Every structure is written in C-alpha cells, then in structure tokens.
Amino acid sequence: MVGPPGAGKGTQARRLSAERRLCRISTGDLLRAAVDAGTPLGKMADEFMSRGELVPDDVILDLVAEELGRPACAGGTVFDGFPRSVGQAEGLDRILGRGGERVDRVLEIDVPEEEVLRRLAGRRVCKNCEKLYHISFGPSQVEGRCDVCGGELVQREDDHPETIQRRLAVYRQTTSPVLSYYEERPGVTVIPGDRPVDEVAARVRRELAAVGSGA
Ligand code: ADP
Ligand code: AMP
C-alpha cells in the first residue's frame, strides 16, 4: 500500500491482514519498536524519524528481508509504508526474486492533502496494543483510553505540524516515484481513500479478491 502519511494505510493493512491471514510488514511499526527498545538500530532510526526524513534504504531492506524470513510471512504479505523509494522497490524485487516471488498488486491510497492534515493532527495510538484512533473520525469510548486493552492513547512524536510538512514533502519527492516504478508491472490501482473506513476496506477487498486465488 502506497500513499501519503495519514492516508489510512495502517488502518486498511491491519484489516486486510486479519481478514486474509496475511503477514503485515509495517516498516514504521518495526522502527518505532526498535526506538522504544533503545536498540542501536532504534537510536540511529530515531534521528531520521524525528525529523520526518526517511531511514536509509539499506537499513530498511535488511529489516524487511529479516521479517520476510519469518514462517508467518510464508503465505503472503501486505506491505504498509514500504517501499518508500525507488531504491527500496528495486531491493524488494531482488529479495522476493530469490524465492521466486513477486509483488502481486500495488494499491495507491489517494487522499487530498487537507484531509491528510486533519487525519494526522487527530491520530492517536494505543501505547500498549497499537490500535489506531482518531479524535473525531474514530474516537475511543473513554477519552484517552483504548477500547480494547484500556491502554493510554498517545499522539505520535512525528504527528506535529513541522514534521508533518516535511513528511509530506518527502512523500512527494522520494516516495511518489515508486508509483511510476510499478506502473508497468504489476500496475497500480488507485483507491479513493477519502471515504469512510468501511467503504475503503470494501474497495480494497474487491481489488484483491483475485490475488492468491490463482487469477
Ligand atoms: P497511515 O498509515 O497511512 O499513516 P493511518 O491508518 O494511521 O494512516 O490513519 C491516519 C489517521 O486517520 C488515524 O487516526 C486513523 O484512525 C484515521 N483514518 C484512517 N482511515 C480513515 C478514513 N477512511 N476516514 C477517516 N479517518 C481515517
Ligand atoms: P510510518 O509509521 O509509516 O508513518 O513511518 C514513520 C517514519 O518511519 C517515517 O517518517 C520514516 O522516518 C520512517 N520510515 C518508515 N518506513 C520507512 C521506509 N520504508 N523507509 C524509510 N523510512 C521509513
């Protein structure tokens, strides 16, 4: 899934992986876990993340290659927030090619920039189980507390105005060329993301119905 920060990639990728029992690889989640754990990778990544910059391609590709080696990912994977540069897309083709695999579908989640800004400003995430909320579009029942586990809901460090602007600029400059990379093969399906979560999910489901069924 490709789209600007706040497009709803995480929201949709989680649903899809649960429904289709696919492994989900979110490089953002993996990096945040490393930052929280205080590992050398986390310390290095934090320097880039807190500025809204991309973590270097070689670091990301090592992370993805390791994740893909997990047995849970043998039946197919949804990539959320990856690849974010043409270098990463080329690297992914190399990694998948070793196992005779390939990218089946690329979904571009398309959301206008003013909506993305509203979504990022109101995004909250459970510190404990990582469930996503939005203060207006998908609030928790009790303010500041997760409906599922009761954990504390927090705002992401990089969901602040200056960092958001930088992340959007990085998307335009470095990530959007990934869509041209995939234009020839396998092609890119544009999903209008400025619709309610269930509607977007239904569209994603429809687009991917044939994937994995041999079609
Ligand atoms: P991304 O992974 O692309 O950065 P998220 O899935 O984290 O985006 O969504 C960003 C914010 O927008 C979250 O607060 C989420 O709850 C909210 N959101 C996601 N999809 C929708 C939607 N279709 N309509 C309204 N709000 C949404
Ligand atoms: P996300 O959770 O996908 O919004 O990612 C949060 C931040 O993590 C980004 O702004 C980048 O700094 C970093 N990041 C996540 N995925 C990647 C990636 N594929 N390549 C480079 N940096 C990434």
Side-chain angles (χ1 to χ4, degrees):
M1 283 188 192
V2 182
K9 303 179 297 294
T11 303
Q12 297 299 333
R14 283 166 204 226
R15 279 201 178 202
L16 181 66
S17 84
E19 280 177 23
R20 297 280 299 259
R21 298 184 188 195
L22 295 167
C23 161
R24 179 179 70 100
I25 296 184
S26 157
T27 42
D29 283 357
L30 291 171
L31 292 170
R32 274 184 294 278
V35 171
D36 289 348
T39 62
L41 164 70
K43 287 189 179 126
M44 187 274 276
D46 195 28
E47 307 250 325
F48 294 92
M49 295 168 79
S50 57
R51 287 186 278 121
E53 303 290 344
L54 294 184
V55 173
D57 287 353
D58 53 343
V59 176
I60 297 291
L61 288 167
D62 283 350
L63 208 57
V64 168
E66 192 183 326
E67 281 295 300
L68 277 173
R70 289 193 299 122
C73 296
T77 299
V78 184
F79 294 102
D80 164 6
F82 169 87
R84 255 175 155 104
S85 67
V86 170
Q88 292 181 18
E90 290 168 345
L92 178 62
D93 279 347
R94 278 196 301 275
I95 296 168
L96 292 177
R98 282 180 219 144
E101 292 180 307
R102 64 195 163 98
V103 175
D104 286 313
R105 289 282 196 287
V106 177
L107 304 184
E108 177 188 1
I109 314 284
D110 182 34
V111 177
E113 208 157 296
E114 56 293 358
E115 173 65 10
V116 153
L117 293 174
R118 279 192 289 273
R119 289 190 186 176
L120 292 175
R123 171 158 65 185
R124 298 292 182 272
V125 54
C126 174
K127 226 172 150 174
N128 183 42
C129 75
E130 290 171 4
K131 187 171 164 56
L132 284 167
Y133 294 89
H134 189 282
I135 53 172
S136 314
F137 309 139
S140 58
Q141 280 167 7
V142 177
E143 199 188 320
R145 288 282 151 204
C146 178
D147 294 345
V148 177
C149 72
E152 186 191 352
L153 302 188
V154 294
Q155 188 165 30
R156 265 171 51 172
E157 288 243 350
D158 55 355
D159 279 348
H160 294 290
E162 318 78 67
T163 322
I164 288 174
Q165 288 304 336
R166 183 63 201 142
R167 287 160 63 210
L168 287 171
V170 167
Y171 178 77
R172 285 192 293 266
Q173 283 158 16
T174 311
T175 306
S176 62
V178 167
L179 295 166
S180 313
Y181 177 86
Y182 286 125
E183 211 163 66
E184 287 274 306
R185 209 210 64 75
V188 176
T189 305
V190 182
I191 308 272
D194 192 9
R195 307 290 311 156
V197 173
D198 287 346
E199 235 178 84
V200 181
R203 182 68 201 279
V204 168
R205 207 177 292 130
R206 225 171 35 241
E207 290 301 336
L208 297 182
V211 177
S213 67

